[in-house]
Amino acid sequence: MRDVAVIGMGLTPFGELWDTSLRDLFAIACADCLEDAGVARDQVQSAYIGCMTSGLFVGQEHLASVLCDYAGLRGLAATRVESACASGGAAFRAAYLEVASGASDFVLAGGVEKMNDGADATYCLATAADQEYEAYNGVTFPGLYAMIAKAHMAKHGTTPQQLAAVAVKNHRNGAKNPKAQFPLEISEKTVLGAVRVAEPLGLFDCSPVTDGAACVLLAPVEFARKLGKPVVKIIGSGHATDAIALHDRKDPSTIPVVALAAQRAFKQSGLTIRDIDFAEVHDCFTIAEIVCTEELGIFEPGQGGPAAAAGKTARDGEFPVNTSGGLKSKGHPVGATGIAQICELYAQLTGNAGGRQLKNPRRGLAQNMGGSGGSCTVHILEVEQ
Amino acid sequence: MRDVAVIGMGLTPFGELWDTSLRDLFAIACADCLEDAGVARDQVQSAYIGCMTSGLFVGQEHLASVLCDYAGLRGLAATRVESACASGGAAFRAAYLEVASGASDFVLAGGVEKMNDGADATYCLATAADQEYEAYNGVTFPGLYAMIAKAHMAKHGTTPQQLAAVAVKNHRNGAKNPKAQFPLEISEKTVLGAVRVAEPLGLFDCSPVTDGAACVLLAPVEFARKLGKPVVKIIGSGHATDAIALHDRKDPSTIPVVALAAQRAFKQSGLTIRDIDFAEVHDCFTIAEIVCTEELGIFEPGQGGPAAAAGKTARDGEFPVNTSGGLKSKGHPVGATGIAQICELYAQLTGNAGGRQLKNPRRGLAQNMGGSGGSCTVHILEVEQ
Amino acid sequence: MISPRYHREKPQRYRLEAGKCTKCGEIHFPPRKVCRKCFAREFETVELPRRGKVVTCTTVWIPPAEFDDQKPYVNAIVELENGVRLTVMISEAPPDEVDIGTEVEIVFRRLQHGPAWEVIRYGYKARVIAG
Amino acid sequence: MISPRYHREKPQRYRLEAGKCTKCGEIHFPPRKVCRKCFAREFETVELPRRGKVVTCTTVWIPPAEFDDQKPYVNAIVELENGVRLTVMISEAPPDEVDIGTEVEIVFRRLQHGPAWEVIRYGYKARVIAG
Ligand SMILES: [Zn+2]
Ligand SMILES: [Zn+2]
């Protein structure tokens, strides 16, 4: 396989963008990405676009056709990819493999979701769970993660304060991100006192409903080296699936699909978590960030909560997690999230992360998860020094 | 890139399968495919599954997770791929590229659609067109192809009898296909006298609403050569998109995305249409087969109709098209169709096509199209001799 | 049709507002964020001309449920005088009066009323110009 | 919920019918076409036991629209006596009576009635067994 690099990124603002349609969101992110990369649109040979459920959110399928058309990319090979909230990560992996194979040189990986368009978001998102044997019985997505939290608390003594620490930290990071939906700091008191969604999760334990799009452009590393910019290589890609229903997995205090995807990415790169400087982690709910930091091996099982409370995952902590603000503060347009994570890695590794810039990070990891843990992708990016 | 072969296939019966759910359809096709290939399920590293709109048809997304779970394939990397009615072809291409890249050895390409589950199929299918600027104004999918037919008739003198010849021929082929939804011969009189759907198309010019699933397994050619079976190689893969709205393309009597995808597949294989022995062509409507045989170069522009009427595309004609019965007689579960076409190529090339077997075909082509021509894949398969 | 999407497209459906690329002059209907011809990203708003000709058409006998009360109706692709094309429903003409080349004008009409819990949809149709 | 899908799952929702692999004995609920454990494809129908314990649970305060009249309600994952797990709604118990380890029995109930044009959904819930 050829070595592959990310050579440009584009990201719309994240938020409730009532005036901007699904197709326009993608067109903006795509145009920004190609400008950033400095590559002409007719050089792009292929695109993979992550989107969870445009059919339910806005009544439109055949996304590769409509989105590329409106982005001015007519003619290229383009495919929409879906794996619930991991759609973006899955699109990135498919784009990576196409460049690695040698079939194409310039491949776009995009993601988009238009969630504020009148549809019932709770219903639409529940289609990422088992519709017949979970959602049918009244369980919501916050409800599934609440059951994970309950099990984690019972097994490890994780506390509501530790969950709140994740939200507080991610909002502190998001406040430095001009694209974030909620770029404002919040206090532990705000999180703990918020309206209840599904016990033990309150409103501030949950990521918001967001419109947004993100794109990155991939190319062979040899090409990237000619650009005179930092060269950001993809050195590991892991992808895994698991049973869709939470009740069909052994221990609801764990999300094993994350460890499996990470293990594959680490194996490819020949690294361990100790070689990674920072990570974007799928914090759809505060408990998700805690469990995922354990599954990734950043902390031992049960230590994710105490570590968050101790500031270990803060921007100046020993292992910064979600410098972008995460899904929690930046927003979570489900199909776009996996690509937005890659954008944050790329921004940090090229030194363009503005007020939230880490000091000379060398390797970042992005972990993007579908449903309650039915699918996961993990990617590791490294900047050449 | 490594050379890649198809080493097994599985196909459910096609039809109105009220007793079989989306997940069960896929599980059956997948299990049949792995048995046919003789590969253990834990060797399968990855899967791409084409499905157009399970969100609208059955209210379920996150397909890669639920389908692999119910197929017993838990843990592998799996992604759902969507490009309207070309979803299956897009899944096949992604699977091909993953094996070609060297990232994985055994990759499943599947497709599934559960269309008979209570949802309004006309609405669901219209999401493959521009929902805001086509469907909003009352146009249906048969309506779009009817406008293509009208333009083709005006430009080339194509007749309703020539359209009918496509339906009669495909039903003659489908009558020999035990998996076909409507395995029965029909007469020109039946086609011309049928209830009108959208002028000049009647009911028998249209493919039916179908439940079904299809899978093929891909592996490196070196592995395929050890199996003691005919070795069926993928020698060309082309994929293209175009504007989603028919009114945004220059000439509605043509479907240029087909020619573009074919050109890419021919370029890769170093062949022309003259080197191909037979084809599965996307006959979602009779006019589609006529236009596509022209776009593929089998016939000159305007000659698709006369050629069909003259029997040139019959099983014993100079260029057999849709020996499977095509979408028309075999059925058209939209996400599965592109894979079912590959199954027919594989069956013909390995000598397993039963009563519809061609005499020693060497190379077959599969053309799978999305919407009214917003996307298309073309694949060329060759059996080693 | 749910209301946020409906409201966003009103300038197009009620007034045929298009986007003209300030760099190359290409007119896009509906407006786009990126010019399909030159990839520029600035546009001015222009209204489309109302007259045009039928490029191709069909009579729909089996419509989606929400158009069922209007069947059979004619759908057409119309090319307006400035070359922009629209998919329209033909208003107030029997099917046999519409053919390729038929001259039409764009008019504002109710398209359908849908189920009770949805917005009533309005927009453009095309009417045959008496010869 | 539209009716073909509803009717297909009735044996599970009304009678807790599961599929037991005739080769390895693994019990699947709902029944499957392929055994997740041994990949065999033949099954016999068995009914699930009715008693079990709560593995984890939550109180849902913000439900989807169609469950709004029942809020707050408790969802739980229940492990039945034979090890099979189900996601259920808890019937007839205030939230604070349900916790990890709580013993429950499966009962047949109306789950919700949905909008007027849909089927009324029935199925299983779980009831706390008085201690
Ligand atoms: Zn321009
Ligand atoms: Zn078994």
Side-chain angles (χ1 to χ4, degrees):
Chain A
M1 302 209 301
R2 298 197 292 184
D3 285 335
V4 181
V6 176
I7 63 165
M9 61 167 272
L11 197 63
T12 65
F14 280 12
E16 295 187 14
L17 309 173
W18 298 100
D19 292 334
T20 313
S21 66
L22 173 75
R23 57 186 79 177
D24 285 346
L25 282 172
F26 179 79
I28 293 166
C30 179
D32 284 352
C33 175
L34 297 185
E35 279 177 26
D36 183 47
V39 167
R41 63 176 159 164
D42 58 7
Q43 287 196 270
V44 181
Q45 292 154 285
S46 178
Y48 293 89
I49 303 162
C51 182
M52 175 179 162
T53 182
S54 57
L56 293 171
F57 275 126
V58 308
Q60 181 71 60
E61 306 283 11
H62 208 185
L63 281 201
S65 174
V66 65
L67 297 181
C68 290
D69 178 2
Y70 275 74
L73 291 174
R74 210 172 288 178
L76 82 173
T79 301
R80 178 260 194 110
V81 157
E82 184 267 322
S83 191
C85 322
S87 299
F92 184 72
R93 177 173 161 83
Y96 162 63
L97 291 175
E98 180 158 338
V99 179
S101 78
S104 299
D105 287 334
F106 297 99
V107 179
L108 188 87
V112 62
E113 208 82 49
K114 175 73 189 166
M115 299 173 75
N116 294 288
D117 220 19
D120 175 358
T122 305
Y123 169 73
C124 296
L125 292 173
T127 62
D130 188 326
Q131 273 289 91
E132 306 303 326
Y133 290 92
E134 291 186 316
Y136 184 88
N137 300 86
V139 74
T140 58
F141 247 90
L144 289 168
Y145 277 94
M147 291 199 286
I148 292 172
K150 175 103 175 170
H152 201 269
M153 287 169 157
K155 187 169 178 184
H156 299 296
T158 304
T159 66
Q161 289 75 16
Q162 291 165 354
L163 299 186
V166 172
V168 170
K169 181 263 297 176
N170 287 350
H171 275 274
R172 194 182 310 129
N173 289 342
K176 306 262 186 207
N177 186 345
K179 300 291 177 83
Q181 180 170 12
F182 293 112
L184 43 94
E185 301 205 16
I186 57 172
S187 68
E188 180 190 284
K189 198 177 150 194
T190 303
V191 181
L192 295 176
V195 62
R196 302 286 87 191
V197 174
E199 285 295 343
L201 305 180
L203 188 63
F204 281 86
D205 289 293
C206 307
S207 55
V209 171
T210 311
D211 304 326
C215 287
V216 291
L217 189 66
L218 277 59
V221 161
E222 316 96 80
F223 176 85
R225 291 195 182 119
K226 296 177 194 156
L227 294 174
K229 295 195 290 189
V231 175
V232 177
K233 285 191 296 192
I234 302 162
I235 60 169
S237 173
H239 185 189
T241 53
D242 197 350
I244 192 169
L246 181 62
H247 62 240
D248 272 335
R249 297 180 230 135
K250 267 185 190 159
D251 179 352
S253 75
T254 66
I255 309 180
V257 74
V258 178
L260 184 56
Q263 177 194 316
R264 290 171 181 170
F266 286 132
K267 187 178 172 196
Q268 183 187 354
S269 61
L271 301 175
T272 75
I273 191 70
R274 301 297 142 219
D275 302 305
I276 309 295
D277 299 316
F278 69 106
E280 289 286 301
V281 166
H282 196 91
D283 62 319
C284 48
F285 299 91
T286 50
I287 184 64
E289 180 170 315
I290 288 174
V291 177
C292 290
T293 55
E294 296 172 4
E295 297 289 349
L296 291 169
I298 302 172
F299 306 112
E300 294 295 310
Q303 293 308 305
K312 292 184 181 178
T313 53
R315 212 159 63 239
D316 58 358
E318 64 184 55
F319 196 109
V321 170
N322 287 329
T323 53
S324 68
L327 286 50
K328 179 71 198 78
S329 162
K330 184 182 51 183
H332 182 27
V334 285
T337 281
I339 302 294
Q341 292 180 324
I342 300 290
C343 289
E344 180 68 10
L345 263 48
Y346 183 73
Q348 289 285 358
L349 292 171
T350 55
N352 290 306
R356 59 190 197 282
Q357 179 66 48
L358 299 169
K359 200 174 159 196
N360 297 321
R362 185 171 172 206
R363 297 191 193 103
L365 177 151
Q367 176 260 331
N368 184 206
M369 184 158 66
S372 64
S375 63
C376 185
T377 63
V378 170
H379 287 97
I380 303 170
L381 271 59
E382 177 182 270
V383 63
E384 285 189 347
Q385 294 191 307
Chain B
M1 302 209 302
R2 297 197 292 184
D3 285 336
V4 181
V6 176
I7 62 165
M9 61 168 273
L11 196 63
T12 65
F14 279 12
E16 294 187 14
L17 309 173
W18 299 99
D19 292 334
T20 314
S21 65
L22 173 76
R23 56 186 79 177
D24 285 346
L25 282 172
F26 179 79
I28 294 165
C30 178
D32 284 351
C33 174
L34 297 185
E35 279 177 27
D36 184 47
V39 167
R41 64 176 158 164
D42 58 8
Q43 287 196 270
V44 181
Q45 294 155 283
S46 177
Y48 293 88
I49 303 162
C51 181
M52 175 177 162
T53 183
S54 57
L56 292 171
F57 275 127
V58 310
Q60 181 70 59
E61 306 282 11
H62 208 186
L63 282 200
S65 175
V66 66
L67 297 181
C68 290
D69 177 4
Y70 276 74
L73 292 175
R74 211 172 287 179
L76 82 172
T79 301
R80 178 260 193 111
V81 156
E82 184 268 322
S83 192
C85 321
S87 298
F92 185 72
R93 177 173 161 82
Y96 162 63
L97 292 175
E98 181 158 338
V99 179
S101 78
S104 299
D105 288 333
F106 296 98
V107 179
L108 188 87
V112 62
E113 207 82 47
K114 176 72 189 166
M115 300 173 75
N116 293 289
D117 219 19
D120 175 358
T122 304
Y123 169 73
C124 295
L125 291 173
T127 63
D130 187 326
Q131 272 290 92
E132 305 304 326
Y133 290 92
E134 291 187 316
Y136 183 88
N137 300 86
V139 74
T140 58
F141 247 89
L144 289 168
Y145 277 94
M147 291 198 287
I148 292 172
K150 175 102 177 173
H152 201 269
M153 288 170 155
K155 188 170 177 183
H156 299 296
T158 304
T159 66
Q161 288 75 17
Q162 291 166 354
L163 298 186
V166 172
V168 170
K169 181 263 296 175
N170 287 350
H171 275 274
R172 194 182 308 129
N173 289 341
K176 307 262 187 204
N177 185 346
K179 300 291 177 85
Q181 179 170 13
F182 294 112
L184 43 92
E185 301 205 15
I186 57 172
S187 68
E188 180 190 283
K189 198 178 152 193
T190 303
V191 182
L192 295 176
V195 61
R196 301 286 88 192
V197 174
E199 286 294 345
L201 305 179
L203 187 63
F204 280 86
D205 290 292
C206 306
S207 55
V209 170
T210 311
D211 303 327
C215 287
V216 291
L217 189 66
L218 277 60
V221 161
E222 317 95 80
F223 176 84
R225 289 194 183 120
K226 296 177 196 156
L227 294 174
K229 295 195 291 189
V231 175
V232 177
K233 285 192 297 192
I234 302 162
I235 60 170
S237 172
H239 184 190
T241 53
D242 197 351
I244 190 169
L246 181 61
H247 62 239
D248 272 335
R249 297 180 230 134
K250 267 186 191 159
D251 180 352
S253 75
T254 66
I255 308 180
V257 74
V258 179
L260 185 55
Q263 177 195 316
R264 290 172 180 168
F266 286 132
K267 187 178 172 196
Q268 183 187 354
S269 61
L271 301 175
T272 75
I273 191 70
R274 301 296 142 220
D275 302 305
I276 309 295
D277 299 316
F278 68 107
E280 288 287 301
V281 166
H282 196 91
D283 61 320
C284 48
F285 299 91
T286 49
I287 183 65
E289 180 169 316
I290 287 174
V291 177
C292 290
T293 55
E294 297 172 2
E295 297 289 349
L296 290 169
I298 303 173
F299 306 112
E300 293 295 309
Q303 294 307 306
K312 292 185 180 177
T313 54
R315 214 159 61 237
D316 58 357
E318 62 185 56
F319 196 109
V321 169
N322 287 330
T323 53
S324 68
L327 287 50
K328 180 70 199 80
S329 161
K330 184 182 50 182
H332 182 26
V334 285
T337 281
I339 302 294
Q341 291 179 323
I342 300 291
C343 289
E344 179 68 10
L345 262 50
Y346 183 73
Q348 290 285 358
L349 292 171
T350 55
N352 290 307
R356 58 189 198 285
Q357 180 66 49
L358 298 170
K359 199 173 158 197
N360 297 321
R362 185 171 171 207
R363 296 191 193 104
L365 177 151
Q367 177 261 328
N368 183 208
M369 184 158 65
S372 63
S375 63
C376 185
T377 63
V378 170
H379 287 95
I380 304 171
L381 271 59
E382 177 182 88
V383 64
E384 284 190 346
Q385 293 192 309
Chain C
M1 177 64 46
I2 39 187
S3 61
R5 209 153 84 237
Y6 182 83
H7 288 295
R8 199 169 47 234
E9 307 294 333
K10 273 184 181 171
Q12 284 66 58
R13 292 182 178 141
Y14 288 21
R15 295 186 298 278
L16 291 182
E17 285 186 9
K20 183 176 177 181
C21 175
T22 55
K23 188 170 162 201
C24 80
E26 177 84 353
I27 296 173
H28 304 82
F29 183 85
R32 294 176 174 225
K33 297 293 182 188
V34 178
C35 176
R36 82 184 129 209
K37 198 165 160 195
C38 78
F39 217 42
R41 297 169 70 174
E42 288 186 12
F43 300 88
E44 55 179 333
T45 299
V46 296
E47 284 201 17
L48 294 179
R50 263 49 178 181
R51 292 178 70 119
K53 279 184 189 177
V54 170
V55 174
T56 184
C57 60
T58 181
T59 304
V60 173
W61 287 92
I62 303 187
E66 70 263 35
F67 288 97
D68 203 60
D69 56 341
Q70 300 183 56
K71 80 183 174 197
Y73 55 82
V74 178
N75 273 129
I77 293 177
V78 167
E79 183 168 307
L80 301 178
E81 286 169 344
N82 65 350
V84 170
R85 292 183 181 185
L86 306 176
T87 295
V88 298
M89 201 185 279
I90 301 289
S91 183
E92 306 146 49
D96 58 7
E97 286 187 18
V98 187
D99 206 344
I100 294 173
T102 300
E103 294 200 38
V104 297
E105 63 179 340
I106 305 297
V107 291
F108 181 72
R109 290 288 182 273
R110 190 178 76 187
L111 292 184
Q112 49 105 326
H113 44 75
W117 61 91
E118 289 196 346
V119 295
I120 300 170
R121 299 191 212 176
Y122 293 85
Y124 49 83
K125 289 190 178 184
R127 179 168 61 185
V128 174
I129 297 174
Chain D
M1 178 64 46
I2 38 186
S3 62
R5 208 153 84 237
Y6 182 82
H7 288 295
R8 198 169 48 232
E9 308 293 334
K10 273 183 182 171
Q12 285 66 56
R13 292 182 179 142
Y14 288 21
R15 295 186 298 278
L16 291 182
E17 285 186 9
K20 182 176 178 181
C21 175
T22 54
K23 188 171 162 201
C24 80
E26 176 84 354
I27 296 173
H28 303 83
F29 183 84
R32 294 178 175 224
K33 297 295 182 186
V34 178
C35 176
R36 81 184 129 208
K37 197 166 162 194
C38 78
F39 217 43
R41 298 169 69 172
E42 288 186 14
F43 300 88
E44 56 180 332
T45 299
V46 296
E47 283 201 18
L48 294 180
R50 262 48 177 182
R51 292 177 70 117
K53 280 185 189 174
V54 170
V55 174
T56 183
C57 60
T58 181
T59 305
V60 174
W61 287 92
I62 304 187
E66 69 264 37
F67 288 97
D68 203 60
D69 57 340
Q70 299 183 57
K71 79 182 175 198
Y73 55 81
V74 177
N75 273 129
I77 292 177
V78 168
E79 183 168 308
L80 302 177
E81 286 169 344
N82 65 350
V84 170
R85 291 183 182 185
L86 306 176
T87 294
V88 298
M89 201 185 279
I90 301 290
S91 184
E92 306 146 49
D96 57 8
E97 286 186 18
V98 186
D99 206 343
I100 294 174
T102 300
E103 294 200 39
V104 297
E105 63 179 341
I106 305 297
V107 290
F108 181 71
R109 290 288 182 275
R110 189 178 77 186
L111 292 185
Q112 49 106 323
H113 45 76
W117 61 92
E118 290 196 344
V119 295
I120 300 171
R121 299 190 210 176
Y122 292 86
Y124 50 82
K125 289 190 178 184
R127 180 168 61 185
V128 174
I129 297 175

